[in-house]
Amino acid sequence: MKHQAGSPPQEVRILGGQWKRSKLPVADRPGLRPTPSRVRETLFNWLGQDLTGWRVIDAFAGTGALGFEAASRGAHEALLLEQDPALAAQLQAVRTRLKAETVRVQRGDGLAALRAAAGQGWNAVFLDPPFDATALFEPALRAAAAAIGPEGFVYLEAPRPWSEAELAALGLALHRHGRAGAVAFHLLRPLAG
């Protein structure tokens, strides 16, 4: 079934790894906007196809596309955080269907969980909050910067590009960035020194 132009797709597919081509359902929820396939493909080209041993957090998981994609490519631990109870249940159902032992679904406040992860040295934190939740972006970036290790990455999807000065104030440096339609995407590293 085709979706109307401007409406979200009803499913997305995992692009690589052991669950390549597996479908992830997309619920009809306000603000739910799965990361477009071409953006995910670019992101995982930047990060590398093999994430064996990585620990990642998908902080506003939604469909779980970023977290499941990382786990499919070998991430040792993928923590999917989602506040919406129906979406969290859907993530758990996908985890069960894929027999994704390295994926953990946690229902609750993504920002609070990120703050609790400070100093834990995660390899990557994926931030794709609802675009209308603008107040979340700055504290989520600050918390993500504290959660990753010195060689870690923070991935951010936002409705606008973030400047190097804005990111530096949060302890992050722009590593790579791009734009796809209304989505500005950024791969960030900890600010050196």
Side-chain angles (χ1 to χ4, degrees):
M1 175 184 223
K2 290 193 174 192
H3 64 281
Q4 302 278 331
S7 67
Q10 295 177 337
E11 63 186 26
V12 293
R13 291 179 187 265
I14 295 174
L15 301 173
Q18 66 176 326
W19 303 312
K20 184 176 182 176
R21 292 190 278 284
S22 295
K23 296 175 184 176
L24 303 175
V26 177
D28 185 11
R29 285 277 194 276
L32 182 63
R33 178 195 31 72
T35 300
S37 295
R38 66 183 177 157
V39 173
R40 273 186 291 128
E41 185 174 13
T42 299
L43 169 63
F44 287 94
N45 284 338
W46 290 346
L47 292 176
Q49 301 300 314
D50 182 1
L51 303 185
T52 299
W54 282 42
R55 297 171 58 240
V56 303
I57 297 175
D58 191 348
F60 306 95
T63 64
L66 295 169
F68 281 116
E69 192 77 54
S72 182
R73 295 165 189 258
H76 172 71
E77 182 180 357
L79 174 58
L80 278 57
L81 306 168
E82 178 53 54
Q83 193 154 8
D84 182 295
L87 291 177
Q90 182 174 283
L91 291 169
Q92 192 60 51
V94 170
R95 178 191 178 277
T96 301
R97 176 171 51 87
L98 295 176
K99 298 178 177 66
E101 298 300 318
T102 60
V103 173
R104 186 164 44 107
V105 176
Q106 183 177 316
R107 183 174 162 241
D109 181 339
L111 182 55
L114 266 183
R115 286 177 173 147
Q120 293 180 3
W122 292 81
N123 298 96
V125 173
F126 303 121
L127 300 176
D128 183 11
F131 280 6
D132 61 356
T134 53
L136 269 180
F137 283 87
E138 190 174 310
L141 282 164
R142 191 178 305 280
I148 60 172
E151 300 299 316
F153 294 93
V154 174
Y155 171 73
L156 170 68
E157 273 184 41
R160 65 169 180 86
W162 280 63
S163 74
E164 293 193 43
E166 288 176 297
L167 294 165
L170 302 170
L172 293 164
L174 190 60
H175 181 62
R176 296 199 171 180
H177 62 95
R179 182 144 203 141
V183 176
F185 55 99
H186 314 70
L187 188 61
L188 313 170
R189 301 298 304 260
L191 201 56

